[in-house]
Amino acid sequence: MKTAIAAALLSVLALASAAPAPNGRDQPIGPPHRTSSDSSIIYPMMTSTYESWSDHVNDGVAAGLVRNNHGISTPVSTYMTFDVPASAASKRCQFNLRLSDTATVTGTGTAGVLTWLDSLSHRPGTWGGWIHAVRGDVASLPPIDCPAGHKYSVELTAYGDENEIKWNVYSEGPEIVIS
């Protein structure tokens, strides 16, 4: 009997330790994203997708996804967090969506951009504008004052009834250029 209880307890402890730790959506999860030797380019430290029908967040994804398809499946938004260095003070930051020829862009190819400073815990974010994704090219928002020394979170959400933008987070996708 004691052996059965001990085995059951070990089983529960093993499951609990395998469960993902809570995340404030601003801590890295999974392997690191792209890196650059150019300090003027910042890549997301984490990317997550959000499925609106189920209110489910997938942290540390390998593919960013922005999707709306006439209600056939759940709309999906992508959240990413950038760590803007203090050295960016008094500089300008430009949000880019750099896609390769292998990225998916269908329908409108347009995403709404919402931003948060330091935390995704409050809704809604600040409106950043519309960005139109183009395979094999870079889409950009106008530069803003850099949020130097802060975490800067961005949500890309689909615009239009038929829209999908998908990219590999390890080789393409969102970036911030400091100038």
Side-chain angles (χ1 to χ4, degrees), residues 30-67:
H33 284 42
R34 299 176 290 163
T35 59
S36 173
S37 58
D38 183 347
S39 63
S40 68
I41 300 174
I42 307 169
Y43 297 114
M45 55 187 266
M46 188 185 84
T47 301
S48 303
T49 56
Y50 171 71
E51 300 170 9
S52 64
W53 288 353
S54 63
D55 197 33
H56 182 73
V57 175
N58 301 296
D59 286 324
V61 296
L65 176 62
V66 176
R67 179 183 66 210

Coordinates of all heavy atoms in Angstrom, one line a residue, residues 30-67:
G30 N 12.0 28.5 -25.1 CA 12.5 27.7 -26.3 C 13.8 28.3 -26.7 O 14.4 29.1 -26.1
P31 N 14.3 27.8 -27.9 CA 15.6 28.2 -28.4 C 15.6 29.6 -28.8 O 14.5 30.2 -29.1 CB 15.8 27.3 -29.6 CG 14.5 26.7 -29.9 CD 13.6 26.8 -28.7
P32 N 16.7 30.3 -28.8 CA 16.8 31.7 -29.1 C 16.4 32.0 -30.5 O 16.6 31.1 -31.4 CB 18.2 32.1 -28.9 CG 19.0 30.8 -28.9 CD 18.0 29.7 -28.5
H33 N 15.8 33.1 -30.8 CA 15.4 33.5 -32.1 C 16.7 34.0 -32.9 O 17.8 33.8 -32.4 CB 14.4 34.7 -32.0 CG 13.1 34.3 -31.7 ND1 12.8 33.4 -30.7 CD2 11.9 34.6 -32.1 CE1 11.5 33.2 -30.6 NE2 10.9 34.0 -31.4
R34 N 16.5 34.6 -34.0 CA 17.6 35.1 -34.8 C 18.5 36.0 -34.0 O 18.0 36.6 -33.1 CB 17.1 35.9 -36.0 CG 16.2 35.0 -36.9 CD 15.6 35.9 -38.0 NE 14.6 36.8 -37.5 CZ 14.2 37.9 -38.1 NH1 14.7 38.2 -39.3 NH2 13.3 38.6 -37.5
T35 N 19.7 36.0 -34.3 CA 20.7 36.9 -33.7 C 21.4 37.7 -34.8 O 21.4 37.3 -35.9 CB 21.7 36.2 -32.8 OG1 22.4 35.3 -33.6 CG2 21.0 35.5 -31.7
S36 N 22.0 38.8 -34.4 CA 22.7 39.6 -35.4 C 23.9 40.2 -34.8 O 23.9 40.6 -33.6 CB 21.8 40.7 -35.9 OG 22.5 41.6 -36.7
S37 N 25.0 40.3 -35.5 CA 26.2 41.0 -35.0 C 26.0 42.5 -35.2 O 26.8 43.2 -34.7 CB 27.4 40.5 -35.8 OG 27.2 40.8 -37.2
D38 N 25.0 42.9 -35.9 CA 24.7 44.3 -36.0 C 23.8 44.8 -34.9 O 22.6 44.4 -34.8 CB 23.9 44.5 -37.4 CG 23.6 45.9 -37.7 OD1 23.8 46.8 -36.8 OD2 23.2 46.2 -38.8
S39 N 24.3 45.6 -34.0 CA 23.6 46.0 -32.8 C 22.5 46.9 -33.1 O 21.7 47.3 -32.2 CB 24.6 46.6 -31.8 OG 25.1 47.8 -32.3
S40 N 22.3 47.4 -34.3 CA 21.2 48.2 -34.7 C 20.0 47.5 -35.0 O 18.9 48.0 -35.3 CB 21.6 49.2 -35.8 OG 21.8 48.5 -37.0
I41 N 20.0 46.1 -35.0 CA 18.9 45.3 -35.3 C 18.5 44.4 -34.1 O 19.4 43.8 -33.6 CB 19.1 44.4 -36.6 CG1 19.4 45.2 -37.8 CG2 17.9 43.5 -36.8 CD1 19.8 44.4 -39.0
I42 N 17.3 44.5 -33.7 CA 16.8 43.7 -32.6 C 15.8 42.7 -33.1 O 14.8 43.1 -33.8 CB 16.1 44.6 -31.5 CG1 17.0 45.8 -31.1 CG2 15.7 43.8 -30.3 CD1 16.3 46.8 -30.3
Y43 N 15.9 41.5 -32.6 CA 15.0 40.4 -33.0 C 14.2 40.1 -31.7 O 14.6 40.3 -30.6 CB 15.7 39.2 -33.5 CG 16.4 39.5 -34.8 CD1 17.8 39.4 -34.8 CD2 15.7 39.8 -36.0 CE1 18.5 39.7 -36.0 CE2 16.4 40.1 -37.1 CZ 17.8 40.0 -37.2 OH 18.5 40.3 -38.3
P44 N 13.0 39.5 -31.9 CA 12.2 39.2 -30.7 C 12.9 38.2 -29.8 O 13.6 37.3 -30.3 CB 10.9 38.5 -31.3 CG 10.9 38.9 -32.7 CD 12.3 39.1 -33.1
M45 N 12.7 38.4 -28.5 CA 13.3 37.4 -27.6 C 12.3 36.3 -27.3 O 12.7 35.2 -26.8 CB 13.6 38.1 -26.3 CG 12.5 38.8 -25.6 SD 13.0 39.8 -24.2 CE 12.6 38.6 -22.9
M46 N 11.1 36.5 -27.8 CA 10.1 35.4 -27.6 C 8.9 35.7 -28.6 O 8.6 36.9 -28.8 CB 9.5 35.3 -26.2 CG 8.6 34.1 -26.1 SD 7.8 34.0 -24.5 CE 6.4 35.0 -24.8
T47 N 8.4 34.6 -29.2 CA 7.2 34.8 -30.0 C 6.1 33.8 -29.5 O 6.4 32.6 -29.3 CB 7.5 34.5 -31.5 OG1 8.5 35.4 -31.9 CG2 6.3 34.6 -32.4
S48 N 4.9 34.3 -29.5 CA 3.7 33.4 -29.1 C 2.6 33.6 -30.0 O 2.5 34.7 -30.6 CB 3.2 33.8 -27.7 OG 4.3 33.7 -26.7
T49 N 1.8 32.6 -30.2 CA 0.6 32.8 -31.0 C -0.6 32.7 -30.0 O -0.6 32.1 -29.0 CB 0.4 31.7 -32.1 OG1 0.5 30.4 -31.5 CG2 1.5 31.9 -33.2
Y50 N -1.7 33.4 -30.4 CA -2.9 33.5 -29.6 C -4.1 33.1 -30.5 O -4.3 33.7 -31.5 CB -3.1 34.9 -29.1 CG -4.5 35.1 -28.4 CD1 -4.7 34.5 -27.2 CD2 -5.4 35.9 -29.0 CE1 -6.0 34.7 -26.6 CE2 -6.7 36.1 -28.4 CZ -6.9 35.5 -27.2 OH -8.2 35.7 -26.6
E51 N -4.8 32.0 -30.0 CA -6.0 31.5 -30.7 C -7.2 32.1 -30.0 O -7.5 31.8 -28.9 CB -6.0 30.0 -30.7 CG -4.8 29.4 -31.3 CD -4.7 27.9 -31.1 OE1 -5.6 27.3 -30.5 OE2 -3.6 27.3 -31.4
S52 N -7.9 33.0 -30.7 CA -9.0 33.8 -30.0 C -10.2 33.0 -29.6 O -10.7 33.2 -28.6 CB -9.4 35.0 -30.9 OG -10.0 34.5 -32.1
W53 N -10.6 32.0 -30.4 CA -11.8 31.2 -30.0 C -11.6 30.4 -28.7 O -12.5 30.4 -27.9 CB -12.2 30.3 -31.1 CG -12.8 30.9 -32.3 CD1 -13.1 32.2 -32.4 CD2 -13.2 30.3 -33.5 NE1 -13.7 32.5 -33.7 CE2 -13.7 31.3 -34.4 CE3 -13.1 29.0 -33.9 CZ2 -14.1 31.0 -35.6 CZ3 -13.5 28.7 -35.2 CH2 -14.1 29.7 -36.1
S54 N -10.4 29.9 -28.5 CA -10.2 29.1 -27.3 C -9.5 29.9 -26.2 O -9.2 29.4 -25.1 CB -9.3 27.9 -27.7 OG -8.0 28.3 -28.2
D55 N -9.1 31.1 -26.5 CA -8.3 32.0 -25.6 C -7.0 31.3 -25.2 O -6.6 31.4 -24.0 CB -9.2 32.3 -24.4 CG -8.6 33.5 -23.6 OD1 -8.0 34.4 -24.2 OD2 -8.8 33.5 -22.4
H56 N -6.4 30.6 -26.1 CA -5.2 29.8 -25.8 C -4.0 30.5 -26.4 O -3.9 30.9 -27.5 CB -5.3 28.4 -26.4 CG -4.2 27.5 -26.1 ND1 -4.0 27.0 -24.9 CD2 -3.2 27.1 -26.9 CE1 -2.9 26.3 -24.9 NE2 -2.4 26.3 -26.1
V57 N -2.9 30.6 -25.6 CA -1.6 31.1 -26.0 C -0.6 30.0 -26.1 O -0.5 29.1 -25.2 CB -1.1 32.1 -25.0 CG1 0.3 32.6 -25.4 CG2 -2.1 33.3 -24.9
N58 N 0.1 30.0 -27.3 CA 1.2 29.0 -27.5 C 2.5 29.7 -27.4 O 2.8 30.5 -28.3 CB 1.0 28.4 -28.9 CG -0.3 27.7 -29.1 OD1 -0.6 26.7 -28.4 ND2 -1.1 28.2 -30.0
D59 N 3.3 29.5 -26.3 CA 4.5 30.2 -26.2 C 5.7 29.5 -26.9 O 5.6 28.3 -27.0 CB 4.9 30.3 -24.7 CG 4.0 31.3 -23.9 OD1 3.7 32.4 -24.5 OD2 3.7 31.1 -22.8
G60 N 6.7 30.3 -27.3 CA 7.9 29.7 -27.9 C 7.7 29.0 -29.2 O 8.2 27.9 -29.4
V61 N 6.8 29.5 -30.0 CA 6.5 28.9 -31.3 C 7.6 29.0 -32.3 O 8.5 29.9 -32.2 CB 5.2 29.4 -31.9 CG1 4.0 29.1 -31.0 CG2 5.3 30.9 -32.2
A62 N 7.7 28.1 -33.3 CA 8.7 28.1 -34.3 C 8.2 28.9 -35.5 O 9.0 29.3 -36.4 CB 9.0 26.7 -34.7
A63 N 6.9 29.1 -35.6 CA 6.3 29.9 -36.7 C 5.4 31.0 -36.2 O 4.5 30.7 -35.4 CB 5.6 29.0 -37.7
G64 N 5.6 32.2 -36.7 CA 4.6 33.2 -36.4 C 3.5 33.1 -37.3 O 3.6 32.6 -38.5
L65 N 2.3 33.4 -36.9 CA 1.1 33.2 -37.7 C 0.0 34.3 -37.4 O -0.3 34.5 -36.2 CB 0.4 31.8 -37.4 CG -0.9 31.5 -38.1 CD1 -0.7 31.5 -39.6 CD2 -1.4 30.1 -37.6
V66 N -0.5 34.9 -38.5 CA -1.6 35.8 -38.4 C -2.6 35.3 -39.4 O -2.3 35.1 -40.5 CB -1.1 37.2 -38.8 CG1 -2.2 38.2 -38.8 CG2 0.0 37.7 -37.9
R67 N -3.8 34.9 -38.8 CA -4.8 34.3 -39.7 C -6.2 34.6 -39.3 O -6.6 34.7 -38.2 CB -4.6 32.7 -39.6 CG -5.6 32.0 -40.4 CD -5.6 30.5 -40.3 NE -6.0 30.1 -38.9 CZ -5.6 29.1 -38.3 NH1 -4.7 28.3 -38.9 NH2 -6.0 28.8 -37.1

